[in-house]
């Protein structure tokens, strides 16, 4: 087990301690994706525990999705090769749980969204492809149809902003924006009934046109006008309540395809 330096186990939850040490080692690159971990017996010898305890530690680690097991002569426990969609799904679940249980405020989400997406629109104007432009343009055009219900319109809004994030061509920004977008159904519920859909669509179009023209400063300015409008509308909706005092966890969840909770 070259490169792995185990820490002496405490008296309680030996299998859990083994799983945590192995997880940390994987995160630090001791074992790379696709590499085999030590066998149950090797781990038992290393940690001075029964083989059954080592086996349970590996099972706990496997439950996190960091490793996979294979049977046969070439079997064993291997560091998983990350699947982007699966990672995103696991991250989404964790973030949504964090929002429901934590003390994140509407103001926290707004500030993070502004900082991150200002960079996204800048990079999108510099790096966008024709496919990116098409993905940004489609939801803008579709949202011109004011007869669609609010839930469908909000889906288009999310598609628009997600397309901009992808056009920025920065995986870390895309990951961070995922966290923001997961909170938006809840934060939208505060003020969605106050929005002027035509005004929002016009603002989206201005952002799109600047990105299409490769005008990074223009795209940021258009996005700033959009966020300024959203901020003013949210203040109107909240009346005397400060966004810093509104926890995301207290807001009604907005379910796809339903407008029941999207009002005030």
């Amino acid at each position: 087990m070259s490169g792995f330096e185990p820490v002496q186990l405490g008296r309680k939850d030996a299998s859990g301690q083994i799983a945590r040490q192995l997880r940390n080692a994987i995160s630090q690159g001791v074992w790379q994706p696709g590499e085999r971990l030590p066998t149950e017996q090797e781990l038992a010898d290393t940690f001075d525990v029964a083989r059954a305890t080592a086996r349970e530690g590996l099972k706990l680690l496997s439950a996190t999705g960091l490793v996979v097991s294979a049977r046969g002569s070439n079997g064993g426990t291997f560091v998983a090769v990350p699947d982007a969609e699966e990672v995103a799904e696991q991250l989404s679940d964790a973030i949504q749980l964090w929002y429901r249980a934590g003390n994140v405020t509407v103001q926290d989400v707004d500030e993070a969204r502004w900082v991150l997406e200002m960079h996204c629109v800048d990079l999108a104007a510099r790096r966008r492809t024709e496919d990116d432009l098409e993905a940004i343009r489609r939801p803008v055009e579709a949202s011109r149809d004011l007869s669609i219900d609010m839930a469908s319109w909000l889906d288009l809004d999310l598609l628009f902003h997600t397309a901009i994030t992808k056009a920025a061509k920065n995986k870390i920004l895309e990951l961070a924006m995922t966290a923001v977008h997961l909170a938006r159904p809840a934060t939208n519920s505060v003020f969605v009934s106050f929005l002027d859909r035509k005004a929002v669509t016009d603002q989206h179009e201005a952002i799109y046109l600047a990105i299409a023209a490769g005008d990074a400063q223009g795209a940021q300015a258009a996005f700033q006008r959009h966020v300024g409008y959203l901020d003013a509308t949210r203040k109107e909706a909240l009346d005397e309540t400060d966004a810093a005092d509104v926890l995301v966890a207290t807001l009604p969840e907005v379910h796809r395809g339903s407008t029941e909770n999207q009002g005030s």
Side-chain angles (χ1 to χ4, degrees), residues 242-259:
D242 193 319
D245 296 327
V246 181
L247 297 178
V248 174
T250 66
L251 299 176
E253 289 191 285
V254 181
H255 300 286
R256 185 181 182 90
S258 170
T259 58

Side-chain angles (χ1 to χ4, degrees), residues 96-113:
Q96 293 199 67
L97 177 61
W98 177 57
Y99 277 138
R100 288 194 295 271
N103 59 353
V104 180
T105 69
V106 169
Q107 180 173 295
D108 290 334
V109 176
D110 288 349
E111 286 180 345
R113 190 260 180 99

